[in-house]
Amino acid sequence: MAETSDPTQNGTKASFESWGRYPSYRANIIPLHWQSDFPAVTEGLHNGILPVGLGRSYGDVGLLENGNLLVTTGMDRIISFDPETGLLTAEAGMSFAQILDFAVPRGFFLPVTPGTKYVTLGGAIANDIHGKNHHIAGTFGCHITQFELVRTDGTRILCSPTQNLEFYSATIGGLGLTGFISWATVQLKPIVSRKIDYEGIQFHGIDEFISLTEQSKDIEYTVSWVDCTSTGRNFCRGIFMQGDHSTKRDELKPSPKPRLIFPFDAPGFALNSLSVSLFNTLFFHKQFSKRVVALQDYEPFFYPLDKVLRWNRMYGKRGLLQFQYVIPWEHAREGTVAILKEVAKSGLASFLAVLKAFGDVPSPGMMSFPKPGITLCLDFPIKPGKSFPLCERLADMTLEFGGRLYPAKDAAMTAAQFQAFYPQWQQFARYRDPLLTSSFWERVTGNKPSL
Amino acid sequence: MNQTASSAPRKILVLGATSGIAEATCRIWAAQGASLFLVARNAEKLAAVAQDLKARGASYVDTAVVDLDDTDQHPGLLAHAINSLTGLDIAYLAHGVLGDQVAAEQDFNTAAHILHTNFMAPVSLLTWLANFCEQRRSGTIAVLSSVAGDRGRKSNYVYGSSKAGLSAFLAGLRNRVDREGVTILTIKPGPTKTAMTAGMKGSEKFADVDTVAQSIVKAIEKRQDNLYVPFQWQPIMFVVRNIPERIFKKLNL
Ligand SMILES: Cc1cc2nc3c(=O)[nH]c(=O)nc-3n(C[C@H](O)[C@H](O)[C@H](O)COP(=O)(O)OP(=O)(O)OC[C@H]3O[C@@H](n4cnc5c(N)ncnc54)[C@H](O)[C@@H]3O)c2cc1C
């Protein structure tokens, strides 16, 4: 007897695009369903290998041109769950959506979550993602008590803060290059309600943002949306959003399934700077009063875009460039003002920019992105000849202010910029699995000319 | 706990429990607190599935590692499963192979192997299970067949004919045991989304395995006889079945 086999399950050549829809590369796609598939499937493969999750990275950390992509989403089993402590051990392809569906009705929540629930456990570890609670909880890696790393030579390494610490810290934020994460244990946190006690506050200018940040130190989730198109009186206006899990006991139902799928690639003209600044103005004034208080379900609070699957098509076929920096406190204020000015001047501005202060909980990852300071995340619809030069300029400015960029959101930084942002990259490279590589890695280590 | 008969966890036997559609279906049953007896060939995979289903809320999970091609083992296996579950509400047959059509065209043994796994082995299981259910005058037997059995196509007629045989067998069996209170469900899934299609261009067309599983659970609930899933396959296969042979021959399907 055998499992029902599926003709599509053998390696197939296909185009894989990043979430930003740029770049898009052909690769040999190999689905993994079982922990035991790795490293067996890699035997005889040429041209490099990269494990990938749900492809929610914006740039090329999850791509490998002409290589082999091992898609882990079929490995989505729970290995154990302790309802007393909230320790969940699961295969690396389990998504945050699946974890929430399982955990929320049992009174638990993810310790850290990004702005989409369609990421895998393995992908979240490899990028050492951060959420709206970075100032309190640190990165996702801070809550991973152990995981198994499998190398292409078959070595299995159990990693935890007390075992194989070098591989533990190289793999958290290790961009999928140190080996294959087969399973991981995450410490979930208890909740009694699906609801978030939400407060939205309008602010005008960076100083108001910083003082709101200081006042909200003890509030678990904080993030701001800033209008990056306005200059003059409205420069750096935005909405500061904060919230805590409601402590009022409530029914803990699973989430309904999303139904909307963005149906087509938007034509390029739909996204000119006029429509963007119009959108920003509307967004800002959607909140009419200075302060709004509400009890909100966690879905719209954390995942406003997930209702529309494949919303990235809104940017048309050319796609978008994401750009996220962190600048340490020392230069955070001036750096953010200078970069926002540059963005407004360029007229290439994105829909909405996300502004947040990172806290000082250290990441366990050697290559983790977050550090204390201000982080800003922007997106630019790709305009030939314009978007890349702007991003390069912004990256140089980031460097001058002592900051760095987030690989998960990058498709444009140069090798020189990357190596200046992450001087520890050579030390990290010692822990790389020799057969694993990514288009990102080839680009930023200078194996391939960047654009 | 005070459980009435209707709210007692259902007792479900799953043959081929490591297949993608079977596993997705089992997750729904596990969340409902069902008792499961899982059979598959690969011990490691079976253990991973069993662990997962236990964590998801199955009230009881037992397993047996068996190669279902070996029909001699069927009576012992089925008796053991029913004993372990202390009864049987649903038997779910989900094992099968696609096989290598090109090799099967050249070599009868390859073809025979596909027919054995997809037709002969299920017939052996179904004979035993149907008789058991008939005697008890209760139970549902749900079987994964395929739209490929609706019409032989050049690209996979060996697999297709094994499923055609299976579908015909099930139709006849239903005819026989229906009045005894036993339900036979023939499931015909179309192409289903798998791990590989995640993030790939153009994969939206395929059915999501969880959606397929939900339809199966619902069809069993409603004691349906046949299920095309997703439902669009019913009209599509109606058309395919009715294309005149003269034209069908020339198509490159
Ligand atoms: C709408 C949206 C909002 C977002 N918000 C945030 C945010 O707030 N904060 C934040 O930090 N990020 C954010 N992101 C980025 C996202 O969280 C990360 O890119 C995340 O890593 C994607 O996970 P994935 O499963 O899709 O991984 P992929 O993008 O498929 O892969 C990411 C990396 O993980 C590696 N990898 C995947 N699985 C394994 C494995 N099993 N073993 C080893 N390596 C593996 C890959 O090689 C790759 O390097 C957002 C993305 C979107 C689309």
Side-chain angles (χ1 to χ4, degrees):
Chain A
M1 186 208 72
E3 302 80 46
T4 307
S5 31
D6 177 335
T8 55
Q9 289 191 2
N10 306 310
T12 342
K13 286 247 182 266
S15 274
F16 226 70
E17 61 184 23
S18 82
W19 189 252
R21 310 200 72 192
Y22 174 88
S24 161
Y25 292 132
R26 283 188 80 71
N28 188 33
I29 316 277
I30 303 170
L32 303 189
H33 289 272
W34 309 95
Q35 286 180 58
S36 52
D37 287 347
F38 191 91
V41 293
T42 64
E43 236 161 83
L45 292 182
H46 306 288
N47 299 341
I49 298 159
L50 183 70
V52 297
L54 276 160
R56 252 48 174 203
S57 299
Y58 282 88
D60 47 2
V61 292
L63 299 176
L64 182 54
E65 189 171 12
N66 294 322
N68 301 286
L69 293 182
L70 308 182
V71 182
T72 60
T73 49
M75 291 178 35
D76 61 352
R77 295 173 196 89
I78 297 170
I79 294 166
S80 67
F81 175 68
D82 184 338
E84 300 295 316
T85 60
L87 267 185
L88 172 75
T89 302
E91 292 177 344
M94 190 167 185
S95 72
F96 279 20
Q98 291 172 317
I99 292 178
L100 290 168
D101 277 347
F102 174 79
V104 168
R106 291 169 171 79
F108 285 97
F109 201 76
L110 290 160
V112 165
T113 177
T116 172
K117 59 179 180 170
Y118 299 114
V119 302
T120 62
L121 198 47
I125 294 170
N127 275 330
D128 196 18
I129 59 157
H130 56 268
K132 295 177 170 67
N133 56 353
H134 183 273
H135 60 289
I136 285 178
T139 62
F140 188 64
C142 298
H143 307 271
I144 296 297
T145 60
Q146 56 172 354
F147 59 83
E148 183 188 63
L149 186 70
V150 190
R151 308 271 286 182
T152 49
D153 66 8
T155 318
R156 293 177 177 266
I157 308 172
L158 189 69
C159 299
S160 77
T162 54
Q163 289 165 95
N164 298 306
L165 187 61
E166 338 71 80
F167 276 107
Y168 178 78
S169 56
T171 302
I172 293 176
L175 307 171
L177 301 170
T178 59
F180 172 75
I181 302 163
S182 57
W183 57 260
T185 303
V186 52
Q187 176 67 63
L188 302 176
K189 68 160 182 249
I191 51 166
V192 295
S193 163
R194 284 180 62 96
K195 302 272 169 40
I196 300 290
D197 278 319
Y198 166 83
E199 189 171 3
I201 307 158
Q202 283 183 353
F203 65 85
H204 291 83
I206 187 85
D207 293 322
E208 262 189 57
F209 164 78
I210 291 174
S211 80
L212 283 168
T213 297
E214 273 160 12
Q215 288 160 33
S216 65
K217 272 203 163 59
D218 299 328
I219 292 172
E220 175 148 23
Y221 301 106
T222 68
V223 72
S224 297
W225 282 16
V226 4
D227 168 2
C228 51
T229 54
S230 298
T231 51
R233 206 165 48 84
N234 288 331
F235 179 69
C236 195
R237 65 175 175 180
I239 296 171
F240 189 90
M241 298 174 280
Q242 58 185 39
D244 278 308
H245 288 282
S246 169
T247 49
K248 227 177 100 217
R249 227 163 251 288
D250 196 11
E251 206 189 341
L252 290 159
K253 298 182 304 260
S255 304
K257 289 236 179 299
R259 238 166 282 141
L260 281 168
I261 295 184
F262 199 78
F264 55 85
D265 301 327
F269 62 77
L271 273 164
N272 53 37
S273 50
L274 185 69
S275 62
V276 169
S277 74
L278 204 69
F279 180 85
N280 273 334
T281 305
L282 282 175
F283 176 79
F284 187 76
H285 290 292
K286 195 181 79 172
Q287 177 167 338
F288 291 109
S289 49
K290 176 102 181 108
R291 254 187 152 83
V292 167
V293 179
L295 198 61
Q296 196 180 27
D297 189 79
Y298 78 77
E299 289 269 346
F301 180 75
F302 288 110
Y303 314 120
L305 290 168
D306 280 353
K307 259 192 303 193
V308 186
L309 288 169
R310 309 258 343 240
W311 57 265
N312 53 346
R313 288 179 168 189
M314 179 171 77
Y315 286 89
K317 283 213 162 65
R318 276 200 208 118
L320 71 142
L321 287 180
Q322 274 256 333
F323 180 88
Q324 181 169 8
Y325 70 66
V326 56
I327 296 179
W329 281 116
E330 198 190 344
H331 300 296
R333 190 190 176 284
E334 53 169 326
T336 300
V337 168
I339 286 177
L340 277 172
K341 278 197 174 134
E342 187 70 23
V343 171
K345 200 176 80 190
S346 75
L348 296 173
S350 58
F351 261 93
L352 281 171
V354 178
L355 191 62
K356 162 152 184 78
F358 280 150
D360 47 19
V361 183
S363 306
M366 186 186 289
M367 292 285 283
S368 291
F369 159 70
K371 58 180 171 183
I374 290 181
T375 182
L376 176 70
C377 179
L378 301 155
D379 49 46
F380 304 103
I382 292 183
K383 296 226 170 73
K386 289 190 178 160
S387 319
F388 284 93
L390 174 66
C391 283
E392 192 168 337
R393 228 162 41 239
L394 297 180
D396 279 337
M397 293 173 75
T398 304
L399 192 57
E400 266 169 51
F401 292 114
R404 63 186 173 210
L405 298 190
Y406 187 13
K409 304 232 172 143
D410 176 75
M413 67 172 121
T414 63
Q417 286 167 338
F418 171 78
Q419 290 168 22
F421 291 141
Y422 295 91
Q424 71 276 34
W425 74 276
Q426 276 165 313
Q427 183 203 346
F428 164 76
R430 281 189 241 139
Y431 299 98
R432 230 192 89 203
D433 186 303
L435 299 186
L436 301 187
T437 187
S438 65
S439 291
F440 174 84
W441 188 251
E442 314 252 303
R443 177 164 65 85
V444 300
T445 54
N447 288 341
K448 236 181 129 183
S450 73
L451 287 150
Chain B
M1 234 193 326
N2 180 18
Q3 272 185 335
T4 61
S6 63
S7 72
R10 274 177 315 166
K11 298 162 180 181
I12 307 174
L13 165 66
V14 185
L15 299 146
T18 53
S19 96
I21 294 178
E23 189 180 2
T25 316
C26 288
R27 284 186 184 178
I28 299 172
W29 284 326
Q32 297 171 351
S35 291
L36 299 164
F37 191 98
L38 311 172
V39 182
R41 197 177 44 169
N42 182 304
E44 202 172 343
K45 295 176 179 178
L46 186 58
V49 172
Q51 231 168 13
D52 175 72
L53 296 174
K54 228 176 274 170
R56 285 174 195 275
S59 51
Y60 173 80
V61 181
D62 193 5
T63 61
V65 179
V66 174
D67 185 340
L68 291 175
D69 277 352
D70 184 359
T71 51
D72 289 346
Q73 292 203 45
H74 290 178
L77 169 71
L78 296 173
H80 168 62
I82 288 165
N83 191 29
S84 171
L85 287 170
T86 65
L88 183 70
D89 298 314
I90 300 167
Y92 183 33
L93 274 68
H95 70 286
V97 285
L98 188 66
D100 184 341
Q101 167 72 22
V102 180
E105 284 170 18
Q106 306 305 322
D107 172 29
F108 166 71
N109 286 324
T110 306
H113 177 75
I114 297 170
L115 288 163
H116 181 84
T117 304
N118 292 352
F119 182 66
M120 295 299 276
V123 165
S124 158
L125 293 164
L126 285 164
T127 304
W128 197 99
L129 287 166
N131 290 339
F132 175 82
C133 291
E134 194 180 33
Q135 220 166 35
R136 308 240 319 222
R137 305 178 67 88
S138 77
T140 296
I141 304 173
V143 186
L144 280 184
S145 187
S146 171
V147 291
D150 279 14
R151 188 154 193 184
R153 291 180 300 131
K154 139 179 166 178
S155 58
N156 70 349
Y157 62 83
V158 178
Y159 172 79
S161 58
S162 69
K163 292 297 193 182
L166 181 59
S167 295
F169 187 89
L170 290 166
L173 192 63
R174 177 181 306 120
N175 214 243
R176 181 190 123 199
V177 298
D178 188 60
R179 67 207 66 189
E180 308 297 335
V182 180
T183 307
I184 307 277
L185 169 65
T186 308
I187 305 157
K188 295 179 180 173
T192 302
K193 215 185 283 177
T194 59
M196 72 153 299
T197 54
M200 242 173 70
K201 287 179 181 172
S203 65
E204 296 95 271
K205 299 191 289 272
F206 287 9
D208 171 67
V209 72
D210 294 327
T211 315
V212 169
Q214 266 156 19
S215 304
I216 292 171
V217 169
K218 235 183 258 160
I220 291 174
E221 224 67 45
K222 291 196 296 196
R223 317 198 68 175
Q224 229 166 286
D225 297 323
N226 287 288
L227 173 70
Y228 282 92
V229 56
F231 65 91
Q232 294 92 320
W233 282 92
Q234 183 146 7
I236 294 171
M237 291 320 293
F238 178 79
V239 172
V240 171
R241 277 197 309 272
N242 288 292
I243 297 171
E245 195 64 31
R246 185 163 42 80
I247 298 168
F248 197 76
K249 271 194 311 203
K250 303 223 163 71
L251 298 176
N252 222 353
L253 295 168

